[in-house]
Amino acid sequence: RKSCKRLCDESGKWDWTNSGEPDGAGNGVIMKIAPLGLWGSVTKEDVSEFIKMCIEYARMTHLATPAIVAGVVHAVAIAILAAREDRNIHVNTFLFFLKDLAEILESKLPPWNDKISSQIENIMNYIHCGSSGKLGEQTVEKIAPLYGGGTSYAYNSFGLSYAIFARSALNTDNPEPFNAVFDAVNAGGDTDTNASIVGSLVGAFHGMKAIPEKLVSELEDKNEIRQRTEEFYKACIARA
């Protein structure tokens, strides 16, 4: 609401690149940016231009570095997963690429003590040498406290959500990958955002087949949602 009010200000001092909350480090960006990742996967936008677009999109509502970096990294992750024809992924390689991207973004944005790149590194380290075993073998109840409980602070929500997705992706024979979304809810914290993040990752990675049919068939306004999805896809194809 504050951002919209600034954009409506007739003084002309606000636009999409500065209308965000100065200390806004919440989850709004990462929760809503997944469609841009899908856009990038279909249109094959130039990477630098795509990242620039994601940053501008983020800055409309949030100006704090963790929110921007978390959002941009998530959009790129969605683009990578959705563009893959192979449904297998080397989790560590995927995370390492995202960590490098986060570090580059953090070097160009205002400094912030909590770094998204550090959270990604925490996940990578825990996969290999967690005090109680590998990440893939841990319950969400044990994982959540390691990432601030997945609260509405982008740094915590990103860490928990990506840890849950990594935990699921490590199980290459996972017959029900959508259970990771339920894990995100059961882990507590900012449950709707965490489920949104994990759900978009699972969907981009596995496709529609990962979503239980019952959830789709009983979804309110499912026909309108499907229609809008088709329109979005056609717009992406037209741009490509």
Side-chain angles (χ1 to χ4, degrees):
R1 288 196 297 268
K2 290 179 181 179
S3 296
C4 288
K5 186 176 180 179
R6 293 185 185 107
L7 289 170
C8 292
D9 187 332
E10 296 180 356
S11 68
K13 61 188 284 190
W14 308 103
D15 59 37
W16 278 36
T17 65
N18 65 1
S19 58
E21 193 68 10
D23 294 322
N27 289 330
V29 178
I30 192 172
M31 186 178 190
K32 66 187 179 183
I33 205 170
L36 268 183
L38 291 178
W39 171 275
S41 73
V42 176
T43 61
K44 309 298 183 183
E45 292 273 359
D46 175 78
V47 174
S48 60
E49 288 299 313
F50 176 66
I51 289 175
K52 179 181 177 182
M53 178 174 63
C54 291
I55 292 174
E56 290 182 351
Y57 179 77
R59 289 176 63 86
M60 182 179 67
T61 53
H62 296 70
L63 297 183
T65 295
I68 297 174
V69 175
V72 175
V73 168
H74 186 53
V76 171
I78 294 297
I80 291 172
L81 294 176
R84 291 177 63 87
E85 295 182 5
D86 183 3
R87 290 298 92 187
N88 294 317
I89 187 171
H90 190 277
V91 177
N92 257 326
T93 302
F94 175 64
L95 292 175
F96 189 83
F97 174 81
L98 297 182
K99 182 176 79 72
D100 277 357
L101 172 60
E103 288 175 346
I104 292 171
L105 293 169
E106 287 161 351
S107 71
K108 297 179 182 299
L109 292 168
W112 197 278
N113 287 335
D114 295 329
K115 300 181 184 299
I116 298 299
S117 59
S118 297
Q119 284 289 52
I120 299 173
E121 187 170 2
N122 290 339
I123 297 170
M124 295 172 66
N125 289 337
Y126 196 69
I127 287 173
H128 287 298
C129 53
S131 59
S132 302
K134 294 183 178 180
L135 179 64
E137 301 168 357
Q138 298 307 299
T139 65
V140 292
E141 290 80 11
K142 290 183 178 179
I143 295 172
L146 301 176
Y147 301 98
T151 64
S152 57
Y153 179 28
Y155 176 77
N156 291 337
S157 186
F158 180 95
L160 176 59
S161 299
Y162 269 74
I164 289 174
F165 173 70
R167 172 177 172 267
S168 173
L170 285 168
N171 181 3
T172 56
D173 298 323
N174 189 352
E176 297 181 319
F178 199 81
N179 282 343
V181 181
F182 299 130
D183 287 341
V185 175
N186 291 329
D190 193 355
T191 53
D192 57 339
T193 294
N194 299 338
S196 172
I197 298 169
V198 176
S200 59
L201 290 167
V202 170
F205 187 32
H206 295 281
M208 279 290 293
K209 65 180 182 181
I211 305 176
E213 178 58 33
K214 183 177 181 181
L215 293 182
V216 178
S217 63
E218 297 184 7
L219 184 65
E220 186 176 355
D221 297 328
K222 61 179 181 296
N223 292 331
E224 181 179 354
I225 293 172
R226 188 180 297 275
Q227 179 183 346
R228 291 182 181 274
T229 303
E230 291 290 340
E231 291 171 354
F232 175 72
Y233 175 71
K234 289 177 182 177
C236 291
I237 293 298
R239 178 62 181 267

